[in-house]
Every structure is written in structure tokens, then in C-alpha cells.
């Protein structure tokens, strides 16, 4: 007798935006996705924290400019009190302070509201899996900011990084997402993820934004 097929776990998502005209249609569209359940919507950061405390929640899709408690403060609170909950920022703002503030607070993804449904669902899935997804505009802005602020070049990386891990770090530093890295190196996305996990562990890299900084400081990007 064959084992019953186990359905994949659905991701539990909170949608946070102070504008009902944005929040409600977005929640409705995401709710149609086969592996996503929108378990709550929130108009401000305080409501996000209440929803997460009532949990369980896997991902919060977070606007930045909200009353009562903004998205950056809320992200920082979640990182401290609920580190198992991933945050993906979805905002109209792509300025340096917003990007660095959100990523510094612990957001795993950052998209602008030009992102389509596929981009948003891909970012939610990646964040739930512990990966980062940055909008192309955000990547470019982050690269420009880090290059401007990087204090030194040629900073040493761990000697035990393999040549392939250095290649992957170089391409991350150029702003390429995992899929593009896989295509460029003629390897699978799963292999790219393995290399990223290994180099992050060896070099003490926290997240993709930190990887960009390290690549630039090491003269790889």
C-alpha cells in the first residue's frame, strides 16, 4: 500500500500596509496562490506584532511608511522577539536610508511596489527559506551606496574559500540574483545556494547585503 502524498506546507503570511486600497487587493491576490495563506492584514506595525503574537506566521510582507509604528521599527522588533518570522519589504521608497534601515533591521527581502505578483511570491518563498531577494533597483542602489562608503579595498577573505565560492561572491557583489548566477556559471540554483551557504558560514557573512559589502571591500566587485 502506497504512502499518502503529503501536501507541501503552506506559507502563513501577514500583509502590512496602511492603505486599505493596497492592502486588501494584495492580500486577495496572494490568497489565490496555492502555497500561501494570508492569515492576517495590518494597517500599522502594532497590528503586525499583534498578528504575529497570535501566530503562527512565516513571513510578513511589510510596508515601510505606516502610522503608530513604521516598518523599520516593526522589522527590528520582529527580529528581536520573533526571529523565526521573515520580513519582505514592499514599498514605494528606494532611497538609501529606507533600504539600509530595513536591511539593517533584519529584512530578508526588499521590493518596490513596481514588483509583480510573481516577484512578490518568489520573494516570500525565498525569505521563508532563509534567502534574500532584492529588487533590481534596490540592488543597484545598494551597490552604489556600499561602493561609496566602503572604507578599504583588498580586505582579506578566509583562505579556505574555494575558487567557485569566490566566483559566487563576485557575482553577488555585482548584484546578480541566484538564478542569474546559476546561468552564468552553468550550474543549478540548488548548487548556487549550497555555495552561498558555505561561503557565508566561512566568511561570517550575515546576509546578501553584507555579502555585497564584503565583495566590494575584497576588491571582487
Amino acid at each position: 500500500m502506497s504512502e499518502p502524498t503529503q501536501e507541501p506546507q503552506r506559507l502563513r503570511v501577514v500583509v502590512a500596509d496602511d492603505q486599505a486600497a493596497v492592502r486588501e487587493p494584495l492580500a486577495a491576490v496572494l490568497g489565490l496562490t496555492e502555497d500561501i495563506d494570508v492569515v492576517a492584514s495590518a494597517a500599522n506595525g502594532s497590528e503586525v506584532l499583534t498578528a504575529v503574537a497570535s501566530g503562527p506566521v512565516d513571513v510578513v510582507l511589510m510596508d515601510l511608511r505606516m502610522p503608530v509604528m513604521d516598518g523599520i521599527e516593526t522589522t527590528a522588533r520582529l527580529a528581536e522577539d520573533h526571529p523565526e518570522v521573515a520580513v519582505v519589504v514592499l514599498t514605494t521608497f528606494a532611497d538609501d536610508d529606507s533600504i539600509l534601515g530595513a536591511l539593517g533591521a533584519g529584512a530578508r527581502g526588499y521590493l518596490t511596489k513596481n514588483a509583480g505578483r510573481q516577484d512578490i511570491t518568489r520573494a516570500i518563498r525565498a525569505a521563508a527559506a532563509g534567502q534574500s531577494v532584492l529588487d533590481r533597483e534596490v540592488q543597484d542602489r545598494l551597490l552604489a551606496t556600499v561602493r561609496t562608503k566602503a572604507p578599504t579595498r583588498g580586505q582579506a577573505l578566509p583562505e579556505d574559500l574555494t575558487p567557485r565560492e569566490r566566483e559566487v561572491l563576485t557575482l553577488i557583489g555585482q548584484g546578480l540574483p541566484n538564478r542569474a548566477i546559476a546561468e552564468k556559471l552553468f550550474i543549478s540554483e540548488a548548487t548556487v545556494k549550497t555555495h552561498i551557504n558555505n561561503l557565508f558560514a566561512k566568511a561570517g557573512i550575515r546576509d546578501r547585503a553584507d555579502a555585497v559589502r564584503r565583495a566590494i571591500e575584497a576588491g571582487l566587485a
Side-chain angles (χ1 to χ4, degrees):
M1 183 175 179
S2 60
E3 293 289 334
T5 302
Q6 187 174 9
E7 293 187 4
Q9 182 179 354
R10 295 171 66 86
L11 298 175
R12 297 156 297 199
V13 176
V14 173
V15 175
D17 196 296
D18 65 326
Q19 299 182 42
V22 173
R23 182 177 68 249
E24 293 173 3
L26 181 57
V29 168
L30 290 176
L32 297 174
T33 306
E34 63 180 9
D35 60 341
I36 292 176
D37 282 329
V38 177
V39 296
S41 61
N44 57 61
S46 179
E47 292 182 6
V48 170
L49 296 180
T50 298
V52 170
S54 301
V57 172
D58 298 304
V59 180
V60 176
L61 193 61
M62 184 86 72
D63 188 22
L64 288 186
R65 307 293 170 87
M66 297 185 293
V68 183
M69 184 184 299
D70 67 22
I72 291 177
E73 182 180 353
T74 307
T75 299
R77 290 278 296 275
L78 289 174
E80 181 176 351
D81 298 335
H82 300 278
E84 74 283 2
V85 177
V87 172
V88 174
V89 170
L90 181 65
T91 181
T92 56
F93 303 96
D95 58 280
D96 293 352
D97 289 343
S98 296
I99 295 169
L100 295 175
L103 296 178
R108 289 187 192 162
Y110 197 113
L111 304 176
T112 64
K113 288 184 177 176
N114 293 325
R117 175 185 172 183
Q118 289 186 337
D119 296 322
I120 295 170
T121 55
R122 180 167 56 92
I124 289 172
R125 293 179 188 122
Q131 302 158 18
S132 297
V133 172
L134 304 178
D135 189 287
R136 184 70 203 190
E137 178 184 355
V138 172
Q139 287 182 350
D140 292 344
R141 188 94 185 200
L142 182 61
L143 283 167
T145 300
V146 174
R147 286 193 177 106
T148 299
K149 296 182 178 180
T152 59
R153 294 186 68 84
Q155 181 173 318
L157 291 168
E159 293 183 0
D160 59 346
L161 284 189
T162 66
R164 180 64 91 188
E165 288 164 358
R166 285 179 176 270
E167 282 184 297
V168 170
L169 182 57
T170 298
L171 295 174
I172 291 174
Q174 293 173 3
L176 272 63
N178 288 2
R179 180 177 299 178
I181 293 173
E183 292 173 353
K184 197 171 186 69
L185 298 180
F186 302 102
I187 57 179
S188 69
E189 283 191 69
T191 302
V192 171
K193 292 173 186 176
T194 298
H195 288 313
I196 289 174
N197 289 338
N198 290 340
L199 76 88
F200 276 27
K202 290 178 181 178
I205 295 173
R206 299 186 305 275
D207 51 35
R208 210 171 186 91
D210 191 32
V212 171
R213 179 184 64 80
R214 291 292 298 276
I216 291 170
E217 290 180 352
L220 299 179

